[in-house]
Amino acid sequence: RKVDFVIADCHYTAKYIEQEGYRKKESTTVIWDCVNLERFSPGMTDEQVRVKYGIPNRTDHFVIMSLGRLSKTATHKGYDRLIKVFQQLADKHQSVRLVIAGKGDNRETYEELVKNLGLTDKVVFTGMVDDKDLPVLYRCASVFSLVSDRGKGRGEGIPLTPLEAMACGIPVIVGNQDGSQEAIIDNANGSVIDPFDAGAHCRVFEALLASPQLLKEKSDMAAKLAQIHFS
């Protein structure tokens, strides 16, 4: 309240602090999170890095990826929901694989869920990813999904990982309850969904599975829009 100038990482955060009375209306400047486009860009997959993390080959599989803290304080990121949506896909499509990258104190809970759903041979937990490997890791994905929810002590501004994935030419799926939705421009580079609408989440994956052309168009636009808006 006492400072002269506030920068927010997204419009959602700016509106939040204004609605909560911390700032006067329209007094906050928004500068979206940005990506180092010299590092994060479309490119070839490095086989050594792919094998290092146990990621399936994109040539033979449709690879869904998510990345972030697998901690008990970050359950809003919805990895449990993603795993359950993936089960619906895996029942109908043999080629789909799920990669969950990152570390945290809730990893065992997610691994147990995968085991109970009979998905152990189709889900990869990479563990911690070396920072230098991140661009190559994203390039191993067909689509990136981080659909977070919002609540007291829960939620995102605009997370960096979908923006980095976009810059690498990977379409992204995000939630509509926080700043994540600002990563999507006119649905050209991905999709915005209700975090609790598992059917919609599944349909987005199936549309990309059914149309390599749609997947390519969204991939191309992801890289282009990252250059325009998140450089």
Side-chain angles (χ1 to χ4, degrees), residues 30-217:
V30 174
I31 301 177
W32 275 331
D33 277 349
C34 53
V35 179
N36 180 351
L37 297 177
E38 291 183 5
R39 286 191 64 215
F40 296 93
S41 61
M44 299 294 291
T45 299
D46 185 314
E47 283 298 292
Q48 282 189 317
V49 172
R50 184 183 69 78
V51 172
K52 174 182 176 180
Y53 293 102
I55 300 173
N57 195 321
R58 236 174 84 173
T59 305
D60 304 315
H61 301 93
F62 183 86
V63 180
I64 299 165
M65 182 178 291
S66 197
L67 185 154
R69 292 178 293 121
L70 308 185
S71 65
K72 293 173 182 175
T73 59
T75 55
H76 61 273
K77 292 180 181 291
Y79 299 116
D80 54 343
R81 295 191 298 269
L82 177 59
I83 290 166
K84 291 172 185 176
V85 167
F86 177 74
Q87 182 193 27
Q88 297 180 43
L89 281 174
D91 286 344
K92 295 184 281 185
H93 304 279
Q94 290 297 313
S95 67
V96 297
R97 295 293 185 271
L98 175 60
V99 175
I100 298 179
K103 66 174 185 175
D105 58 9
N106 214 30
R107 172 174 167 171
E108 288 185 4
T109 301
Y110 300 130
E111 288 179 322
E112 187 68 20
L113 176 60
V114 166
K115 180 181 177 181
N116 290 340
L117 294 175
L119 298 171
T120 304
D121 61 338
K122 295 186 177 182
V123 179
V124 174
F125 289 88
T126 69
M128 186 182 73
V129 177
D130 290 340
D131 187 63
K132 63 182 176 59
D133 293 334
L134 273 175
V136 177
L137 192 87
Y138 288 121
R139 293 176 196 140
C140 292
S142 305
V143 60
F144 185 89
S145 179
L146 183 68
V147 184
S148 52
D149 66 73
R150 175 170 67 98
K152 187 173 178 59
R154 300 170 66 87
E156 307 271 3
I158 185 169
L160 189 58
T161 52
L163 306 183
E164 291 174 342
M166 280 172 49
C168 292
I170 309 303
V172 297
I173 305 171
V174 295
N176 65 0
Q177 292 192 354
D178 52 31
S180 303
Q181 60 195 297
E182 295 174 40
I184 306 298
I185 312 295
D186 298 326
N187 288 325
N189 56 315
S191 299
V192 180
I193 63 169
D194 183 325
F196 299 101
D197 190 342
H201 203 167
C202 197
R203 287 191 294 273
V204 170
F205 287 135
E206 289 191 314
L208 296 173
L209 267 162
S211 175
Q213 181 60 31
L214 178 64
L215 181 63
K216 184 181 185 308
E217 288 172 2

